[in-house]
Coordinates of all heavy atoms in Angstrom, one line a residue:
V1 N 4.7 -0.8 -5.0 CA 3.8 -1.2 -6.1 C 4.4 -2.5 -6.9 O 3.7 -3.5 -7.2 CB 3.4 -0.1 -7.1 CG1 2.7 -0.6 -8.3 CG2 2.7 0.9 -6.4
R2 N 5.7 -2.3 -7.2 CA 6.4 -3.4 -8.0 C 6.3 -4.6 -7.2 O 6.0 -5.7 -7.8 CB 7.9 -3.0 -8.3 CG 8.0 -1.9 -9.3 CD 8.1 -2.4 -10.7 NE 9.3 -3.2 -10.9 CZ 10.4 -2.9 -11.5 NH1 10.6 -1.6 -11.7 NH2 11.4 -3.7 -11.6
L3 N 6.6 -4.6 -5.9 CA 6.7 -5.9 -5.2 C 5.3 -6.5 -4.9 O 5.1 -7.7 -5.0 CB 7.4 -5.6 -3.8 CG 8.9 -5.2 -3.9 CD1 9.5 -5.2 -2.5 CD2 9.6 -6.1 -4.9
A4 N 4.3 -5.5 -4.6 CA 2.9 -6.0 -4.4 C 2.4 -6.6 -5.7 O 1.5 -7.6 -5.6 CB 2.1 -4.8 -4.0
R5 N 2.7 -6.1 -6.9 CA 2.3 -6.7 -8.1 C 2.7 -8.1 -8.3 O 2.0 -9.0 -8.8 CB 2.8 -5.8 -9.3 CG 2.2 -6.1 -10.6 CD 2.6 -5.1 -11.7 NE 2.0 -3.8 -11.5 CZ 2.6 -2.6 -11.6 NH1 3.9 -2.6 -11.9 NH2 2.0 -1.5 -11.4
V6 N 3.9 -8.5 -7.8 CA 4.4 -9.8 -7.8 C 3.6 -10.7 -7.0 O 3.1 -11.8 -7.4 CB 5.9 -9.9 -7.4 CG1 6.3 -11.4 -7.3 CG2 6.7 -9.1 -8.3
A7 N 3.2 -10.2 -5.8 CA 2.3 -11.0 -4.9 C 0.9 -11.2 -5.6 O 0.3 -12.3 -5.3 CB 2.2 -10.3 -3.5
G8 N 0.5 -10.3 -6.2 CA -0.8 -10.3 -6.9 C -0.9 -11.4 -8.0 O -2.0 -11.9 -8.2
R9 N 0.3 -11.7 -8.6 CA 0.3 -12.7 -9.6 C -0.1 -14.1 -9.0 O -0.7 -15.0 -9.7 CB 1.7 -12.9 -10.2 CG 2.2 -11.7 -11.0 CD 3.6 -12.0 -11.4 NE 4.2 -10.8 -11.9 CZ 5.5 -10.5 -12.0 NH1 6.4 -11.5 -11.5 NH2 6.1 -9.4 -12.4
Y10 N 0.1 -14.2 -7.7 CA -0.3 -15.5 -7.0 C -1.5 -15.2 -6.2 O -1.7 -16.0 -5.2 CB 0.9 -16.0 -6.2 CG 2.1 -16.2 -7.1 CD1 3.1 -15.3 -7.3 CD2 2.3 -17.4 -7.7 CE1 4.2 -15.5 -8.0 CE2 3.4 -17.7 -8.5 CZ 4.3 -16.7 -8.7 OH 5.4 -16.9 -9.5
H11 N -2.4 -14.2 -6.5 CA -3.5 -14.0 -5.7 C -3.3 -13.6 -4.2 O -4.1 -13.9 -3.4 CB -4.5 -15.2 -5.8 CG -4.8 -15.5 -7.2 ND1 -5.6 -14.8 -8.0 CD2 -4.5 -16.6 -7.9 CE1 -5.7 -15.3 -9.2 NE2 -5.0 -16.4 -9.2
G12 N -2.1 -13.0 -4.0 CA -1.8 -12.6 -2.6 C -2.3 -11.1 -2.4 O -2.7 -10.4 -3.4
L13 N -2.4 -10.7 -1.2 CA -2.8 -9.4 -0.8 C -1.6 -8.5 -0.3 O -0.5 -9.0 -0.2 CB -3.9 -9.3 0.2 CG -3.7 -10.1 1.6 CD1 -2.7 -9.5 2.5 CD2 -5.1 -10.2 2.3
Y14 N -1.9 -7.2 -0.1 CA -0.9 -6.3 0.5 C -1.4 -5.9 1.8 O -2.3 -5.2 1.9 CB -0.7 -5.1 -0.5 CG 0.2 -4.0 0.1 CD1 1.5 -4.3 0.4 CD2 -0.4 -2.7 0.3 CE1 2.3 -3.2 0.9 CE2 0.5 -1.7 0.8 CZ 1.8 -2.0 1.1 OH 2.6 -1.0 1.6
A15 N -0.6 -6.3 2.8 CA -0.9 -5.9 4.2 C 0.1 -5.0 4.7 O 1.3 -5.2 4.6 CB -0.9 -7.2 5.1
T16 N -0.4 -3.8 5.2 CA 0.6 -2.7 5.5 C 0.5 -2.1 6.9 O -0.6 -1.7 7.4 CB 0.5 -1.6 4.5 OG1 1.4 -0.5 4.8 CG2 -0.9 -1.0 4.4
H17 N 1.5 -2.1 7.6 CA 1.7 -1.1 8.7 C 2.1 0.2 8.1 O 3.2 0.4 7.6 CB 2.8 -1.6 9.7 CG 3.0 -0.8 10.8 ND1 3.4 -1.3 12.1 CD2 2.9 0.6 11.1 CE1 3.6 -0.2 13.0 NE2 3.2 0.9 12.3
M18 N 1.2 1.1 8.1 CA 1.3 2.2 7.2 C 2.5 3.2 7.7 O 3.0 3.0 8.8 CB 0.0 3.0 7.2 CG -1.1 2.3 6.6 SD -2.6 3.2 6.5 CE -3.0 3.6 8.3
R19 N 2.7 4.1 6.8 CA 3.9 5.0 7.1 C 3.6 6.0 8.3 O 4.5 6.5 8.9 CB 4.1 5.9 5.8 CG 5.5 6.4 5.7 CD 5.8 7.0 4.3 NE 5.6 6.2 3.2 CZ 6.7 5.4 2.7 NH1 7.8 5.4 3.4 NH2 6.5 4.6 1.7
N20 N 2.4 6.1 8.6 CA 2.0 7.1 9.7 C 0.7 6.6 10.3 O -0.2 6.2 9.5 CB 2.0 8.5 9.3 CG 1.9 9.5 10.5 OD1 0.8 9.8 10.9 ND2 3.0 10.1 10.9
E21 N 0.6 6.8 11.6 CA -0.7 6.4 12.3 C -1.2 7.6 13.2 O -1.9 7.3 14.2 CB -0.6 5.1 13.1 CG -0.3 3.9 12.1 CD -0.1 2.6 12.9 OE1 0.5 2.6 14.0 OE2 -0.6 1.6 12.4
S22 N -0.6 8.8 12.9 CA -1.1 9.8 13.8 C -1.3 11.1 12.9 O -2.3 11.2 12.3 CB 0.0 10.1 14.9 OG 1.3 10.4 14.3
D23 N -0.4 12.1 12.9 CA -0.6 13.4 12.2 C -0.8 13.2 10.7 O -1.6 14.0 10.1 CB 0.6 14.2 12.5 CG 0.6 14.7 13.9 OD1 -0.3 14.4 14.7 OD2 1.7 15.1 14.4
S24 N -0.1 12.3 10.1 CA -0.2 12.1 8.6 C -0.9 10.8 8.2 O -0.6 10.2 7.1 CB 1.2 12.2 8.0 OG 1.8 13.4 8.3
V25 N -1.8 10.4 9.0 CA -2.5 9.0 8.8 C -3.3 9.0 7.5 O -3.4 8.0 6.8 CB -3.2 8.6 10.0 CG1 -4.5 9.5 10.2 CG2 -3.8 7.2 9.9
R26 N -3.9 10.2 7.2 CA -4.8 10.2 6.0 C -3.9 10.0 4.8 O -4.2 9.2 3.8 CB -5.5 11.6 5.9 CG -6.5 11.8 7.1 CD -6.8 13.2 7.3 NE -7.6 13.4 8.5 CZ -7.0 13.5 9.7 NH1 -5.7 13.4 9.9 NH2 -7.8 13.7 10.8
Q27 N -2.8 10.7 4.7 CA -1.8 10.4 3.6 C -1.4 9.0 3.5 O -1.1 8.5 2.4 CB -0.7 11.4 3.6 CG -1.0 12.9 3.5 CD -1.3 13.6 4.8 OE1 -1.9 13.0 5.7 NE2 -0.9 14.8 5.0
A28 N -1.1 8.5 4.7 CA -0.6 7.0 4.7 C -1.7 6.0 4.2 O -1.4 5.1 3.4 CB -0.3 6.7 6.2
I29 N -3.0 6.3 4.5 CA -4.1 5.5 4.0 C -4.1 5.7 2.4 O -4.3 4.7 1.7 CB -5.4 5.9 4.6 CG1 -5.5 5.5 6.0 CG2 -6.6 5.2 3.8 CD1 -6.6 5.9 6.8
Q30 N -4.0 6.9 2.0 CA -4.0 7.2 0.5 C -2.9 6.4 -0.2 O -3.1 5.9 -1.3 CB -4.0 8.7 0.3 CG -5.4 9.4 0.7 CD -5.1 10.9 0.7 OE1 -4.0 11.4 0.7 NE2 -6.3 11.5 0.8
E31 N -1.7 6.4 0.5 CA -0.6 5.6 -0.2 C -1.0 4.1 -0.2 O -0.7 3.5 -1.2 CB 0.7 5.8 0.6 CG 1.8 5.1 0.0 CD 3.1 5.1 0.9 OE1 3.0 5.1 2.1 OE2 4.2 5.2 0.2
A32 N -1.5 3.6 0.8 CA -1.9 2.2 0.9 C -2.9 1.9 -0.2 O -2.7 0.8 -0.9 CB -2.4 1.8 2.2
L33 N -3.9 2.7 -0.4 CA -4.9 2.5 -1.5 C -4.3 2.6 -2.8 O -4.5 1.8 -3.7 CB -6.0 3.5 -1.3 CG -6.8 3.5 0.1 CD1 -7.8 4.5 0.1 CD2 -7.4 2.1 0.2
Q34 N -3.3 3.5 -2.9 CA -2.6 3.7 -4.3 C -1.8 2.4 -4.7 O -1.9 2.0 -5.8 CB -1.7 4.9 -4.2 CG -0.9 5.1 -5.5 CD 0.1 6.2 -5.4 OE1 0.1 7.0 -4.5 NE2 1.1 6.3 -6.4
V35 N -1.1 1.9 -3.6 CA -0.4 0.6 -3.9 C -1.3 -0.5 -4.4 O -1.1 -1.2 -5.3 CB 0.4 0.1 -2.6 CG1 0.9 -1.2 -2.8 CG2 1.5 1.1 -2.3
G36 N -2.5 -0.6 -3.7 CA -3.5 -1.6 -4.1 C -4.0 -1.4 -5.5 O -4.2 -2.4 -6.3
R37 N -4.3 -0.2 -5.8 CA -4.9 0.1 -7.2 C -3.9 -0.1 -8.2 O -4.2 -0.8 -9.2 CB -5.3 1.6 -7.3 CG -6.6 1.9 -6.5 CD -7.1 3.3 -7.0 NE -6.1 4.4 -6.8 CZ -6.0 5.1 -5.7 NH1 -6.7 4.9 -4.6 NH2 -5.0 6.0 -5.6
E38 N -2.7 0.3 -8.1 CA -1.7 0.3 -9.1 C -1.1 -1.2 -9.3 O -0.8 -1.6 -10.3 CB -0.6 1.2 -8.9 CG -1.0 2.7 -9.0 CD 0.2 3.7 -8.9 OE1 1.4 3.2 -9.0 OE2 -0.1 4.9 -8.8

């Protein structure tokens, strides 16, 4: 969140290869969304 916020100051986005793409992919999506929101 801290680093993405810096990118946001310059109208940048947050692109993520998430933490998991199989058994825990739902939690990984939720984390990505949380980073974007915060």
